[in-house]
Amino acid sequence: MAAIEPEEQLKELSSTLTSIEQVLDLGGMRRDIAELREQSADPDLWNDQERAQSVTRRLSYLESELGKVEALRQRLDDAATLYEMAKEMDDADTRTEADEELVTLRKAVQQLEVRTLMSGEYDAREALVTINAQAGGVDAADWAEQLQRMYLRWAERHNYPTEVYETSYAEEAGIKSTTFTVKAPYAYGTLRGEHGTHRLVRISPFDNQGRRQTSFAGLDVVPVVEQSDHVDIDESDLRVDVYRSSGPGGQGVNTTDSAVRITHVPTGIVVSCQNERSQIQNRATAMNVLQAKLLERKRQEEAEKMSALRGEGTSSWGTQIRNYVLHPYQIVKDLRTGVEVGNPSAVLDGDIDEFVEAEIRWMRQQETA
């Protein structure tokens, strides 16, 4: 089969980008940016710090997204010009430069296209992430801490703000659990495919005989609640405990009993917050986390009822989803999409975009099948 000429490839990419621009509604984005800029210029905005931070985060995100699309459109135009120059001058170096740019552009358009696949009810929300150590003893606790670092590094790579609400440290090493938010639009839609059990295989650094150890950590991703969400919580269903927050190895973080743990008795859901100095602030944050988890539980129950009415089997992403093998060979492989990477160090340092993008495409296929 004859290879497609670069000019035709650029036309195809341009057509794809046009479709993306229509889905993203660039005109609407520009109007929202203008409105948010006007709000951010209001000197009274910072009287309500939470709203002010929400406005500035949203503005920064929209400006960044619009900038990406506009820059990509310009690069496609420039690449077409580069090919014309190479042809007119019969310049091999210019042609090579244009070919390299075409490869980069194809990847950039594909990555942007993934964003248009996130159209779920809550996909545009920020994400609330909880990680729990599972089977594997001290290795599992250490693995849970590595996963926490991996996702925080991923967020840092994308300039997404994060806030760690609670971390429960294990006695010997690692953590029992942690809860944090990724405060960026579409963080939930981006990360929801990461929900499930992550399996690590390695030579245990905690085994004096140097044996291979398999350990597990569970990751839960739910959308952050908004004011429009309606979640009824009966105060009589809650058990509230206060305690003194502490760091790794028993290191004191606070000298007062300001950390708050809330148990929702009917469901058994337990949430904690210890990052604030004030018990009142920690309780308010813990209640927001509880609302998010109850909202997600309600959404899942409704989805299961609809599946039952349609006569469909329910599918769960809460099973083992990815293997991270450090010994006897090195590979990270997703069990659903088949994506695999031979550099676990980069993955554990937050380079997980290839997995995340493949998951978004896979979930969209599952939902439209």
Side-chain angles (χ1 to χ4, degrees):
M1 189 173 73
I4 302 175
E5 288 296 318
E7 290 79 8
E8 289 301 314
Q9 294 184 51
L10 282 171
K11 285 181 182 178
E12 288 181 9
L13 289 176
S14 179
S15 177
T16 301
L17 184 57
T18 297
S19 299
I20 292 171
E21 290 168 341
Q22 291 171 348
V23 172
L24 295 180
D25 184 13
L26 300 195
M29 290 175 72
R30 292 187 180 98
R31 287 191 295 274
D32 288 346
I33 287 171
E35 184 179 330
L36 289 167
R37 282 175 177 167
E38 188 176 331
Q39 291 180 31
S40 64
D42 183 355
D44 294 329
L45 176 66
W46 286 95
N47 292 337
D48 183 346
Q49 291 217 356
E50 188 172 334
R51 178 173 172 270
Q53 289 171 358
S54 176
V55 167
T56 54
R57 279 200 304 269
R58 179 69 178 165
L59 176 59
S60 176
Y61 172 79
L62 288 175
E63 288 176 333
S64 174
E65 289 296 290
L66 182 62
K68 285 179 189 175
V69 180
E70 291 177 338
L72 203 48
R73 173 60 69 188
Q74 184 62 54
R75 286 174 62 191
L76 282 171
D77 293 341
D78 291 345
T81 302
L82 205 58
Y83 274 113
E84 289 174 8
M85 290 172 55
K87 190 174 182 179
E88 290 173 3
M89 298 185 298
D90 193 20
D91 186 341
D93 289 341
T94 303
R95 170 71 186 226
T96 299
E97 181 185 348
D99 288 341
E100 290 173 350
E101 176 67 353
L102 179 57
V103 172
T104 305
L105 281 169
R106 185 180 298 109
K107 183 177 180 181
V109 170
Q110 288 172 347
Q111 288 176 337
L112 189 61
E113 190 178 23
V114 168
R115 161 69 177 77
T116 67
L117 301 177
M118 290 186 281
S119 56
E121 182 180 0
Y122 300 111
D123 282 356
R125 302 282 185 90
E126 298 175 356
L128 180 69
V129 180
T130 300
I131 299 172
N132 289 285
Q134 296 181 338
V138 64
D139 277 280
D142 183 61
W143 174 223
E145 187 169 40
Q146 288 187 60
L147 279 180
Q148 179 193 38
R149 180 185 181 278
M150 183 180 83
Y151 288 107
L152 292 178
R153 286 285 292 121
W154 170 82
E156 184 182 329
R157 283 167 174 257
H158 290 277
N159 295 316
Y160 296 158
T162 57
E163 183 176 359
V164 178
Y165 288 153
E166 182 269 341
T167 300
S168 176
Y169 291 92
E171 292 180 7
E172 188 173 341
I175 61 175
K176 297 176 183 176
S177 65
T178 185
T179 299
F180 58 90
T181 52
V182 180
K183 297 185 174 184
Y186 287 92
Y188 173 68
T190 304
L191 288 176
R192 68 188 181 106
E194 294 290 291
H195 178 98
T197 299
H198 297 246
R199 172 177 175 260
L200 174 69
V201 180
R202 64 173 176 176
I203 297 296
S204 172
F206 307 102
D207 187 326
N208 54 20
Q209 296 181 41
R211 290 174 293 192
R212 191 170 66 172
Q213 173 74 29
T214 299
S215 46
F216 301 84
L219 187 135
D220 184 50
V221 185
V222 300
V224 170
V225 294
E226 294 182 350
Q227 290 184 349
S228 59
D229 295 323
H230 182 68
V231 184
D232 288 323
I233 300 178
D234 191 332
E235 286 286 333
S236 64
D237 288 337
L238 303 180
R239 185 174 70 245
V240 181
D241 301 302
V242 296
Y243 58 99
R244 186 165 299 181
S245 59
S246 62
Q251 176 186 350
V253 172
N254 206 335
T255 57
T256 60
D257 293 337
S258 61
V260 175
R261 181 186 299 110
I262 300 177
T263 303
H264 186 248
V265 177
T267 61
I269 294 174
V270 180
V271 298
S272 304
C273 184
Q274 64 180 36
N275 68 317
E276 304 289 352
R277 290 283 175 179
S278 160
Q279 186 183 122
I280 294 174
Q281 289 175 307
N282 280 328
R283 190 184 194 283
T285 300
M287 283 297 293
N288 285 336
V289 174
L290 177 59
Q291 285 183 315
K293 290 185 177 289
L294 288 173
L295 180 68
E296 178 66 8
R297 185 186 181 96
K298 178 182 176 184
R299 187 192 68 79
Q300 289 177 349
E301 288 173 350
E302 289 172 351
E304 288 170 2
K305 286 179 183 177
M306 289 302 296
S307 295
L309 288 171
R310 296 192 190 106
E312 302 169 352
T314 57
S315 62
S316 171
W317 301 323
T319 55
Q320 185 175 316
I321 64 167
R322 191 175 305 143
N323 290 330
Y324 305 72
V325 181
L326 307 185
H327 183 86
Y329 50 88
Q330 295 206 338
I331 192 171
V332 180
K333 182 171 183 177
D334 194 283
L335 303 181
R336 303 151 302 170
T337 64
V339 171
E340 57 182 62
V341 173
N343 185 359
S345 296
V347 172
L348 294 175
D349 194 41
D351 187 6
I352 61 172
D353 284 336
E354 187 174 353
F355 292 103
V356 168
E357 289 166 14
E359 286 158 6
I360 293 170
R361 295 182 187 277
W362 179 83
M363 287 189 298
R364 183 58 180 260
Q365 290 174 351
Q366 299 299 305
E367 291 163 351
T368 57

